[in-house]
Every structure is written in structure tokens, then in C-alpha cells.
Amino acid sequence: MATKGIVKGIVSNLVTVEADGPVLQNEICYIHTGGDRLMAEVIKVIGKNAFVQVYESTRGLKVGAETEFAGHMLEVTLGPGLLSKNYDGLQNDLDKMEGTFLKRGDYTFPLDEKKVWDFKPLAQKGDTVKAGSWIGEVDENLQPHKIMVPFVLEGTYTIKKIAEAGQYTIYDKIATITDGSGKDIELDMVQKWPVRKAITVYKDKPRPFKLLETGVRVIDTANPIVEGGTGFIPGAFGTGKTVLQHAISKQAEADIVIMAACGERANEVVEIFAEFPHLEDPHTGRKLMERTIIVANTSNMPVAAREASVYTAMTIGEYYRSMGLKVLLMADSTSRWAQALREMSNRLEELPGPDAFPMDLSAIISNFYGRAGYVILDNDQTGSITFIGTVSPAGGNLKEPVTENTQKVARCFYALEQDRADKKRYPAVNPIDSYSKYLEYPEFSEYIRERISSDWIGKVNELKTRMQRGKEIAEQINILGDDGVPVSYHITYWKSELIDFVILQQDAFDKIDSITSIERQKYMLELIMRICHADFEFSSFTDVMDHFKKMINVCKQMNYSEFKSDEFDAFEKELHALVNEKAV
Amino acid sequence: MAKAFQKIYTQISQITKATCMLKATGVGYDELATVDGVLAQVVKINGDEVTLQVFQGTEGIRTNAEVVFLGKSPTLKVGSQLAGRFFNAFGDPIDGGAVPEGEEREIGGPSVNPVRRKQPSELIATGMAGIDLNNTLVTGQKIPFFADPDQPFNQVMATVALRAETDKIILGGMGLANDDYLYFKNVFSNAGSLDRIISFVNTTEDPPVERLLIPDMALTAAEYFAVDKNEKVLVLLTDMSSYADALAIVSNRMDQIPSKDSMPGSLYSDLAKIYEKAVQFPDGGSITIIAVTTLSGGDITHSVPDNTGYITEGQLFLRRDSDIGKVIVDPFRSLSRLKQLVIGKKTREDHPQVMNAAVRLYSDAANAKTKLENGFDLSNYDERTLAFAKDYSNNLLAIDVNINTTEMLDEAWTLFAKHFKPEEVNIKKELVDKYWKSN
């Protein structure tokens, strides 16, 4: 019999429930109040008392309220029809919820129960299968959505019956499988999985090495991320995290994009809702929304659901990865998620760790990032989850716990800098502090050698060295004055400015400049590097500046022009003329 | 106060500076109560022990005080009669007028389903270029002034309110100095727009805990006009730092473990609940929130401005510019996140590039200034940026500017041409060709 309970105490969204039977840590329960059913999760148990965090407002809740325990942890429902959906952190389909305001206790089923799918079997009678095996396929927005043996099943099974190709709903039985003892299990297209546990139905998880193109130059050229890689974007508010994140999610070459807005500004979430349906996927020409899933928890939606939202998003990502797809997961922002953890820990009166975050914050963060990755499935197909989280460090201080703990686990670091943002140098990714560990991977070098060019990584490293040298000279000029350093220093400095303005800065709001193909990035990097290698002669430092400003201006016009168009070529000619004017 | 047959409790077991505790049953979380006629609210229930937060403080409360539970959360009577009136934190009139009639609604209601929101797209003009040109406001936006206490934020806010084309202006004053309250009252009456203004005011003379009700009262009224009447509502909240201080006081008095900067652990959620009420509804109604967060010594790393910054869609900084002797809207640290939705779309095409170019040149001037201060010679370019910066501050950034956006853009091009060559401004060629003011 299911465990029941009675509410004993209430402090905001932390409720104490006295249970009459066994309780599972992280079990879901429903509290009945005034006709509403409030969903909650067990976060601590002491004796008969379960401490539950309620995913909704507890206004009006009274001691004595009846509670039923669900017998399982927080789960997501997985099946065809997840794409293009707008969910909240608990996987409620927001579009199905009626009314302008969210109603307490209103939960909606995340999939469409009536929709008919075009099913194609992939397995045959007699095949041996196990959790995660692909037994069939449906077409979901032109993506092959694999129907898999439920992840919860252990051991191997034999297919006893499989449906013929045809039209089925998610609840139609499409297969019967038999276990070793001869027990039959009937399968439909839906399965459930607890969000806090990773889905690990793969054979191997090697180091990732394939470049994931984002069209953002400061990432692809200077600090590349790979399929199945991890990265994070810390930055004080106003440094352009959201714009950068949106650019990546719009442009990245992924099969599936999942955006987890945890505790984000509602108007930013609306921006995604409003824009994505109209935007074209630059890689397929289809609508972006067709490959996108949004898990949206605005900052005023209850704190506990905010905490759950990143797990919901990650689990959906793992589901698609198990189908052999390239998933990009963006979480904005993991600081708000950490803050939700802090809020609950504070309510539980736990002894606080650094900056009042829970002591196990580092373990929670590393465990979460660990769920991303590039995997080889049992059928030797590959799939990946590339995870990029944004972090909002208090006051832009990168020494705070969320940033520090994230830096330990994420392989790419895109440090947004206030100073660059103030100067409108966007994206405000600091060229010296930021890094991509993948540049050091031999697997990655090999891949780049084959796909781009043999000296690409050398050029990227040179770019970084030049940026650093430029910064050092700028500091020297600040101390010694323009006249205090030789003219050659000014030339070196302005070469770094050229790289900055032309390669690293990018106008996210310009149709052409906002997305740069790898081919174009290669062309521009080589062009700029040739200029950097040229020797120039100038009579004074002001001449250096004047001349480089002209070159930068022409290069920017190139960036605004269609690649290799007449306009582009004309600007390039103008640039060469400018270079030749002063080169020796 | 008590209705017939209502249960009255007279056994208070514990009294702290802001709370009292008693044994009671059938009490709902967040429910209101009166303690000897004084309003209080349930903040904790543990078995049959109920903790009440007494809004005006517990001074003089007897252990045998009469406690009556009202069976409801704080409410506001909403209706058209609210217009032109002044109320306290409980929604009671403080202007001597009659209690308005209207439908009683719980304050602090649920959030808007994000898929039912509309993307904000209507510009709010203020006439100040520091705002309209560089940090354009949009209906449905939430934005605070981050200001030191001595800055004229209340004056700027009042000016914005009066110039903005809105149907209603709702003022939420928390810990407002009485003089400031009278200032708002004066400015609004003199402008002849008192009938579209509703004020909920808690002055420094009122108990601090009562401040916690002000934003919810103001926003419940705002939701009434925006949702039921499809009106454009502008909500002014001043000052959110004193709201946060009240939160800290309550959490401290309840013996909660303090989080960063002695603020409660729930500060982010508490602030978000208020700011996220800013919304553009599909039917045309909207709630725009302009707030004030006072800083201590300009420190934006403090929990209150820090959390605020992550919730709001930008922030506006005021700064006294010693070169021109006027207060300006600082172009560096100020930001309107929603401006992209309107600039170059609702305003002239050159707006985004002109705005960026001007700020970039202004930042070059800041570098030149550092050089100057370090005793270095300035280049001709440095000299020109400094001259530009002065004109830019005077003619555009200063808060006494009152022109329309097209005039602002024209002025910026005039200044570019006065001080620079076209290739120095880094603007798309087609725009330079079209708008450059050749002398």
C-alpha cells in the first residue's frame, strides 16, 4: 500500500510530513490543500518525519493536510513529441496550461497522447535486446526518433513480437519482449526515468574530439568546443551572457538543442519563445524550433522547480543522445540553480559552506557536468551531449564558489569581462583568460589537421600570444606613455587590436556577421595573420594608430559583407592597398 | 475585530522583537491575524505552534493579547476608485478620503505562464538621451536605478513617470523619507496627472516590516489595471534596498541562518517575485517596473544590487560628471537589455550603431583622461575624444536633456562630424554615407 502522510510543519516551501510507512529519499509526494494537489520532493528524513520541498506556493496550507507518496523519484516522461515543446522544470507542457497565470497544482502531460506517429521497426523477432536498444523509429520533425527498450530494464531480452511499419500513438503496443525466465513485457513508445540519475546505456565514453561549430569566432577559432564537450560562460550581469548563449544555441551545428532557463528573466525566456519559431536553422534551412526543447523556469517560479529544471533538461538530453544524436544543452544560469540549492540548504538549517552555499556544492556541480559527453552506443553509433552552462558570479568576482567549482570540471572557459563590455567589445570574452582544454588534446589536433589545416592550431596559439603581448604593451604604455615605448611596440599593439576587432569581436545583431562558417573563419584568420607577419614602417605612433584604424574599419566592413561577394572582394582590395602602403 | 464565533487565543508563549508564538490549530500558512488589533502574518507553523510576524513590531504586546486569525492572506480591494489615491502598506487610505469600493484580491498572486507573455516591443520615451538613446526602455521591462543615496534618483524617476505615455503610474514607496513622499505628491499634482497616479507609501516613520507589503500591494493594483482594463501601467518602486533590509530584519528576528551580507537565503526569490510581475500581456496591457536600489559606496557586489541585477533587465547608473557639472546617465555601466527589441526597429535604422560608436568613443576619452592624469602627452586623437566626451555629456547624457530620439541621433552624428573622421567611428559604410553630416 502506498505511504501516506500528514503535514506537521510549514516554513515557506519546506514542509514537514509525518509518514505512515516507508519513504524514499527524493520521493515525490502530493499534498492536498483546498482542492489543489501540490507536488513536493523529499529532501531529508528524520524518523517518521519527511522534509519535503514543495514545488509550488504553500499559501494557505494547514497542519493536518493529507499527503500521498508517489513511490518514485521525480521522473521525466520520454517519448516522441518532446521536440518543439515548452516545458517548465517539472516537464509540464506550458502551452497546455490554460489562463494567463500559472495555476497552483495544475500539472499537464508532457506528450501528445492522440498524435499518430509513422513507426518503422528496426529490430526483428528473435533479436536479443537490452536497455537502450533501438527497436523502432518514428519521424519526429524530420529527425529519426528511436524507440528504445526502456532504460530501467536490466539484463537481456528477446523480441517476441514487433509491430509492423504503420501509424501508432505513443500508447499503442509496438513490441513484446521476453526475459530469460520467459516473462513477457509489452512495450509502447513511452518510458519514464528519474531525473537525478544519469542514463548510461552506452558502451564507452571516450574523450571527445570533434569540433562543434558554433559560428561564433571567439569560440570556434580561439577557444573551440567539441561535440560532447563542456564549457561555461561566467560573467557579471550586463556582459552579454544571454546574447552569447542565444547565438550559440541558434547557430551550433547540433541535431537537438535543449535550453534550460533556470531562474531566468521571463522576458528573456519570451525572447526564445518569440524568436525561435521564426528563425531558420542555418544548417538545414528548417525552423529552429523544430529541433529545440525549452525547459523554462522563470525566476519567480518556485525555487524547488528551478532546482529540478537542469536535471529535467539533462535527462531529456541523455535520452536523445542514446538515439545517436548530437545534443547541445545550454543552462542559463547554473548560478541561479546553485542559489536554489543554497536557499533549500538554508531552510533546512544546514551548516553553510563558502558563501553560504551547501558544503557539497562542488560534488553536485561536477556530477552534473559529468553527465555530458561523447558516447559510443552498443550498436557502435555515437551520440553526444555538449553542455554549456552560464555562471553569474556575484559582482563579476570569479573567485566565488560556483565559478571556482565549475572551472574545475568544465573544459572550456569563456570569461566575460566587464571592461570589454563597457567598451562594447562584444562578445566580451576575455581573449587571455579564456581557454579551451581541447586545443591540447592530440585527438582534437588530429581532427583539425584533417578537417581544417595542418597549421591551424599553431595559428590559434599565435593569436593568443599576440593578444597577450598586446595587453602587456598596453600596460607598459599606461605606465611609460606613448612616447616611452618604441614605435615598433605600437605596431605590435595595433596588430593585436586588429585581431581583436576583426576576429574576436562579432556583431551578434548583424545578419551576416553574427554567424561565421569555419571556412570563412579560416580565411579571415589567415588573412589577419599575414598582416600580422608583415613588417610595417611608420614615422610616429600616431601614424600607426591612424593607419591601423583604417585597416580595422575596412576589415569590419568585410565582416559585414557576404563572404566572397563583390563587396567583400572590393573591401579586401582596399585592405591590401592599405597594407602595401606601409609595409616594407 | 473578531467576528461572531471566531476563536480567540489569549496565550502567547514567546515574543521576540518582530514575532510572537502561540498554540493554535487550523491555521493556514501566510494567513493574516490580529494581535490585540495589530496586524500580523503567519510565517511558520510547527505542529500546533504558530509563529506570527507582527508588522508594526511587538513593542507593548502582552502575553495575554487577543489573537484572532482572519483566515485569509493580505488583500487589496481593486477597482477604478484606486486612481488618484494614497494608501498605506495595508491598502488603507492615508489621504483622508473614503475607503474605495472594489473586489478583494489576495496580494502576491501567482506568476504569469511564460508562454502567455508577449515579447515587449513598445518603446517608452523619456526625452533623456542617456536613457532613450543608450538604454532605451520598453513596456513590460523591469529596470532599477543603482544609485548612491545622495543622487537625484527620485527626481529622475518622477520625470520619467510624467514624460512616459502610460495610463497609470503606481508608486510604491518603502521607507520613503516624508519629504520625498511630499515631493512626489507635489510633482504629480502640479503636473495635473494625479488622477492617473496611485500611491502605496510606507515612510521612514512607519514600522520597517510593513514595507514588505508595499510592492505586492502596488503590483496587485498594477495587475488589476493591466489585466482587467488592458492599461499600460508604470510601477515605481523606491527604494528596494530598504525593502531588502526589512527582509533581513524579519529573517534575523526569526533566528534564520543568514546568507551572504546578512540577507536571507531566499533574497533572490523574494526579489524575483516582485520584479517578474513586469510583463507585456497579449491584450495590450503591460506592467513596467522602474525601481531604485540604493548602493552603499557604489558597491554593486553587495547581495541586493547583485541579485537585483540578475533579475532585472538592465540597470541605470547616475553619475555626477565633474567636467560639465551635471548629473548624467553613465553610459558604461548602464544597460537596458530589452533595447534591442526596439532600437533600429521602432527608432531610426542607425540607432544601434550610433549608440555603440558614441559609447566606444566615450571610452576612448576615458583612456585619454587616464593618460592625462598620469602626466602623459595626449595625441591629437586623444584631444579630440576628450572634446567629444564633453559635448556628448552636455548635449546627450545629462539628465536635463529633453528631446526626441531622432533629434538625439542627429545630434550624435553632428558630434561625430565635429570631432572625427568617418573611418574613426567604425560604423557601417552605408549608414555613414547616408547620415554623416559633412560640414
Side-chain angles (χ1 to χ4, degrees):
Chain A
M1 210 186 78
T3 301
K4 289 197 179 323
I6 297 288
V7 169
K8 288 285 167 192
I10 309 150
V11 187
S12 190
N13 62 338
L14 180 72
V15 170
T16 318
V17 178
E18 191 182 288
D20 70 358
V23 170
L24 196 71
Q25 171 72 340
N26 295 109
E27 183 168 351
I28 293 299
C29 65
Y30 294 92
I31 303 170
H32 294 263
T33 174
D36 294 331
R37 268 168 99 228
L38 310 184
M39 192 171 174
E41 179 179 346
V42 176
I43 52 172
K44 185 166 95 176
V45 183
I46 296 174
K48 278 183 163 179
N49 285 334
F51 294 81
V52 305
Q53 63 174 356
V54 185
Y55 292 128
E56 314 235 18
S57 158
T58 53
R59 176 175 275 183
L61 182 62
K62 292 178 182 174
V63 161
E66 286 178 16
T67 305
E68 44 176 300
F69 288 82
H72 60 77
M73 301 198 284
L74 179 65
E75 292 176 332
V76 285
T77 304
L78 302 168
L82 291 162
L83 292 184
S84 314
K85 283 282 200 301
N86 301 318
Y87 292 124
D88 72 0
L90 306 175
Q91 212 199 1
N92 285 299
D93 185 344
L94 289 169
D95 291 292
K96 280 187 195 163
M97 297 180 140
E98 281 167 21
T100 305
F101 292 90
L102 293 170
K103 211 176 139 270
R104 189 167 77 161
D106 190 8
Y107 306 113
T108 56
F109 186 68
L111 299 174
D112 191 337
E113 289 156 293
K114 296 211 176 79
K115 189 178 161 85
V116 186
W117 297 90
D118 204 359
F119 175 81
K120 203 170 67 191
L122 293 176
Q124 291 173 5
K125 190 177 167 184
D127 283 359
T128 306
V129 291
K130 58 180 190 174
S133 295
W134 301 352
I135 55 172
E137 186 178 289
V138 301
D139 170 28
E140 184 186 16
N141 297 352
L142 292 191
Q143 299 265 19
H145 183 115
K146 304 288 188 283
I147 307 301
M148 294 172 274
V149 173
F151 305 135
V152 292
L153 296 183
E154 286 170 15
T156 56
Y157 298 81
T158 311
I159 295 201
K160 188 174 169 187
K161 208 165 97 187
I162 181 122
E164 284 171 19
Q167 311 274 308
Y168 302 91
T169 68
I170 52 169
Y171 282 136
D172 285 332
K173 302 294 176 225
I174 48 106
T176 308
I177 58 176
T178 314
D179 70 5
S181 65
K183 201 180 127 213
D184 286 351
I185 301 171
E186 284 202 312
L187 303 182
D188 55 23
M189 296 196 227
V190 187
Q191 57 168 316
K192 294 193 173 214
W193 185 261
V195 297
R196 288 178 205 277
K197 275 172 73 178
I199 297 173
T200 55
V201 291
Y202 47 77
K203 194 159 68 181
D204 199 10
K205 200 172 179 182
R207 296 219 297 188
F209 62 95
K210 290 183 185 169
L211 178 73
L212 182 86
E213 276 184 51
T214 66
V216 179
R217 298 189 291 265
V218 72
I219 296 180
D220 296 355
T221 297
N223 305 290
I225 189 151
V226 295
E227 278 180 51
T230 52
F232 84 116
I233 309 174
F237 51 80
T239 50
K241 274 193 301 292
T242 309
V243 175
L244 181 59
Q245 221 199 8
H246 286 194
I248 298 169
S249 51
K250 282 173 198 167
Q251 298 166 191
E253 197 215 346
D255 300 319
I256 309 285
V257 176
I258 304 173
M259 305 188 68
C262 43
E264 268 320 291
R265 302 176 182 95
N267 277 329
E268 278 174 12
V269 176
V270 172
E271 196 178 321
I272 308 172
F273 290 152
E275 276 187 11
F276 273 49
H278 303 290
L279 289 174
E280 269 186 13
D281 180 342
H283 303 283
T284 62
R286 297 173 56 80
K287 293 285 179 230
L288 262 184
M289 203 53 213
E290 292 182 9
R291 58 159 182 155
T292 307
I293 300 167
I294 296 166
V295 178
N297 257 79
T298 63
S299 51
N300 59 333
M301 283 156 80
V303 61
R306 194 202 311 163
E307 197 263 319
S309 62
V310 295
Y311 291 101
T312 297
M314 180 60 91
T315 310
I316 295 174
E318 288 169 336
Y319 175 63
Y320 280 97
R321 175 172 68 183
S322 308
M323 298 177 199
L325 295 171
K326 255 192 278 184
V327 179
L328 172 69
L329 173 59
M330 314 283 296
D332 190 12
S333 94
T334 56
S335 293
R336 306 282 77 87
W337 165 54
Q339 205 150 23
L341 291 168
R342 172 161 79 182
E343 222 172 295
M344 290 318 299
S345 159
N346 182 274
R347 278 252 147 80
L348 277 171
E349 302 189 338
E350 288 175 356
L351 284 180
D355 280 7
F357 284 107
M359 274 315 285
D360 54 354
L361 181 72
S362 65
I364 297 172
I365 290 177
S366 61
N367 180 272
F368 187 77
Y369 274 77
R371 287 174 70 169
Y374 176 76
V375 301
I376 298 171
L377 302 170
D378 285 320
N379 58 8
D380 291 320
Q381 302 274 343
T382 60
S384 62
I385 296 175
T386 310
F387 176 62
I388 300 177
T390 60
V391 173
S392 329
N397 165 28
L398 300 184
K399 293 262 172 265
E400 59 87 46
V402 183
T403 316
E404 282 194 324
N405 288 312
T406 307
Q407 198 165 5
K408 284 182 205 155
V409 288
R411 308 255 94 188
C412 296
F413 177 66
Y414 304 113
L416 295 177
E417 190 188 27
Q418 188 70 58
D419 190 42
R420 275 183 81 82
D422 284 349
K423 291 177 176 153
K424 306 281 177 206
R425 292 188 174 202
Y426 287 118
V429 175
N430 179 310
I432 293 153
D433 294 347
S434 304
Y435 58 78
S436 161
K437 290 269 190 197
Y438 300 111
L439 282 169
E440 299 158 15
Y441 285 22
E443 305 90 314
F444 180 72
S445 301
E446 185 60 39
Y447 183 83
I448 293 298
R449 242 196 308 281
E450 281 171 18
R451 309 288 164 125
I452 305 184
S453 78
S454 56
D455 61 346
W456 176 259
I457 292 187
K459 285 205 179 77
V460 171
N461 285 327
E462 184 189 336
L463 175 151
K464 299 198 146 196
T465 313
R466 284 186 176 276
M467 290 313 294
Q468 187 164 358
R469 184 70 191 126
K471 189 186 172 212
E472 285 165 11
I473 292 174
E475 281 163 7
Q476 281 160 347
I477 293 176
N478 269 338
I479 302 166
L480 302 169
D482 285 317
D483 287 329
V485 299
V487 169
S488 66
Y489 274 44
H490 284 275
I491 297 174
T492 310
Y493 169 72
W494 276 97
K495 283 177 175 172
S496 76
E497 285 286 276
L498 180 71
I499 296 172
D500 194 339
F501 274 92
V502 182
I503 307 287
L504 303 180
Q505 293 177 46
Q506 192 168 355
D507 187 341
F509 298 100
D510 183 77
K511 199 167 172 284
I512 293 170
D513 197 29
S514 59
I515 175 163
T516 313
S517 67
I518 277 291
E519 189 200 355
R520 184 172 179 156
Q521 292 190 37
K522 178 173 179 256
Y523 188 87
M524 289 309 287
L525 182 67
E526 283 172 355
L527 176 69
I528 297 302
M529 281 304 161
R530 275 201 302 280
I531 300 176
C532 287
H533 290 160
D535 288 322
F536 291 94
E537 202 169 275
F538 290 100
S539 51
S540 72
F541 71 84
T542 48
D543 287 352
V544 181
M545 182 178 74
D546 288 346
H547 201 74
F548 268 89
K549 282 206 166 150
K550 280 186 198 157
M551 291 199 279
I552 288 172
N553 183 45
V554 176
C555 290
K556 289 207 78 143
Q557 306 302 337
M558 280 175 83
N559 281 347
Y560 282 130
S561 315
E562 205 79 66
F563 188 38
K564 293 194 171 158
S565 61
D566 292 348
E567 205 189 356
F568 182 90
D569 292 344
F571 284 126
E572 191 176 356
K573 269 209 191 86
E574 200 182 330
L575 176 67
H576 286 308
L578 281 170
V579 172
N580 291 334
E581 205 181 298
K582 297 286 178 182
V584 286
Chain B
M1 270 308 262
K3 293 181 201 141
F5 308 115
Q6 208 159 18
K7 201 164 168 188
I8 298 173
Y9 297 88
T10 52
Q11 284 278 326
I12 292 177
S13 56
Q14 198 182 319
I15 303 174
T16 69
K17 271 156 96 180
T19 63
C20 63
M21 208 193 268
L22 70 156
K23 284 196 187 314
T25 52
V27 173
Y29 191 73
D30 254 4
E31 183 173 337
L32 284 178
T34 55
V35 181
D36 265 355
V38 170
L39 267 183
Q41 189 175 17
V42 175
V43 288
K44 185 175 177 178
I45 307 176
N46 186 15
D48 60 359
E49 266 189 346
V50 176
T51 307
L52 287 170
Q53 164 184 303
V54 184
F55 287 107
Q56 68 170 43
T58 49
E59 282 160 353
I61 297 253
R62 300 172 283 131
T63 50
N64 62 346
E66 285 191 356
V67 179
V68 181
F69 290 93
L70 305 183
K72 61 174 190 185
S73 300
T75 55
L76 174 72
K77 277 191 178 153
V78 294
S80 51
Q81 293 181 9
L82 287 173
R85 304 292 307 275
F86 289 82
F87 303 94
N88 68 9
F90 304 108
D92 299 329
I94 50 171
D95 52 8
V99 177
E101 299 282 313
E103 182 198 331
E104 193 170 6
R105 285 199 190 160
E106 278 190 354
I107 65 165
S111 31
V112 174
N113 183 343
V115 300
R116 301 277 177 264
R117 286 168 171 264
K118 194 173 159 236
Q119 185 166 37
S121 63
E122 271 182 72
L123 176 142
I124 300 181
T126 70
M128 296 176 217
I131 297 175
D132 296 2
L133 182 65
N134 289 347
N135 303 289
T136 325
L137 301 183
V138 186
T139 58
Q141 182 167 19
K142 45 193 177 288
I143 194 163
F145 281 99
F146 282 176
D148 283 330
D150 62 338
Q151 284 170 333
F153 47 84
N154 282 336
Q155 284 87 316
V156 177
M157 219 162 56
T159 310
V160 169
L162 291 177
R163 287 189 195 164
E165 285 173 16
T166 53
D167 301 314
K168 290 282 179 308
I169 297 162
I170 300 182
L171 172 70
M174 291 151 279
L176 207 58
N178 204 44
D179 297 0
D180 285 338
Y181 162 49
L182 295 174
Y183 165 80
F184 276 112
K185 211 171 167 177
N186 245 326
V187 173
F188 293 156
S189 348
N190 287 342
S193 33
L194 204 54
D195 56 338
R196 61 180 179 117
I197 292 168
I198 302 153
S199 306
F200 295 89
V201 176
N202 158 283
T203 65
T204 45
E205 291 156 42
D206 299 321
V209 177
E210 289 181 13
R211 277 166 214 168
L212 297 178
L213 295 171
I214 293 275
D216 284 346
M217 284 287 169
L219 290 160
T220 302
E223 269 178 0
Y224 167 75
F225 289 107
V227 178
D228 297 31
K229 303 280 171 198
N230 293 337
E231 290 189 351
K232 272 166 82 172
V233 183
L234 176 64
V235 178
L236 310 175
L237 299 174
T238 176
D239 133 17
M240 289 298 285
S241 293
S242 55
Y243 171 81
D245 287 341
L247 282 176
I249 292 170
V250 171
S251 112
N252 176 273
R253 287 175 184 172
M254 283 177 66
D255 294 329
Q256 279 178 4
I257 296 176
S259 196
K260 222 173 143 258
D261 296 321
S262 303
M263 284 292 152
S266 57
L267 180 66
Y268 183 82
S269 301
D270 294 332
L271 292 175
K273 217 178 79 201
I274 294 168
Y275 284 115
E276 283 290 6
K277 289 281 178 190
V279 55
Q280 174 70 54
F281 292 104
D283 290 340
S286 64
I287 299 175
T288 309
I289 300 178
I290 302 180
V292 169
T293 300
T294 46
L295 307 175
S296 123
D299 178 17
I300 59 156
T301 64
H302 185 277
S303 281
V304 176
D306 184 54
N307 280 294
T308 303
Y310 285 115
I311 297 163
T312 54
E313 285 130 0
Q315 61 279 326
L316 298 166
F317 278 92
L318 299 178
R319 177 163 66 80
R320 177 163 286 281
D321 185 336
S322 57
D323 287 336
I324 61 161
K326 286 180 182 174
V327 174
I328 63 165
V329 180
D330 192 333
F332 290 153
R333 303 160 79 201
S334 305
L335 168 77
S336 160
R337 290 170 185 276
L338 300 189
K339 66 170 180 278
Q340 256 75 17
L341 301 174
V342 294
I343 62 172
K345 294 173 182 152
K346 298 286 161 87
T347 60
R348 210 166 68 189
E349 54 171 348
D350 54 327
H351 189 161
Q353 294 230 350
V354 168
M355 170 203 81
N356 274 327
V359 176
R360 210 160 34 224
L361 294 165
Y362 190 72
S363 101
D364 285 348
N367 286 344
K369 214 168 175 189
T370 315
K371 266 194 199 172
L372 191 67
E373 282 155 5
N374 291 348
F376 298 127
D377 292 340
L378 296 184
S379 67
N380 166 272
Y381 178 78
D382 292 333
E383 304 274 9
R384 287 185 288 131
T385 54
L386 287 177
F388 164 78
K390 212 166 170 178
D391 283 349
Y392 179 51
S393 295
N394 234 328
N395 303 359
L396 288 167
L397 299 179
I399 55 168
D400 60 2
V401 170
N402 186 12
I403 50 179
N404 71 41
T405 320
T406 307
E407 289 168 328
M408 292 170 193
L409 290 168
D410 287 340
E411 177 62 22
W413 284 108
T414 304
L415 296 181
F416 291 159
K418 182 176 168 196
H419 300 284
F420 302 104
K421 286 171 272 185
E423 69 265 22
E424 285 175 322
V425 298
N426 257 318
I427 292 180
K428 244 187 190 170
K429 194 169 170 301
E430 54 180 271
L431 295 175
V432 173
D433 289 347
K434 195 163 167 189
Y435 295 105
W436 190 265
K437 311 243 175 197
S438 41
N439 321 335

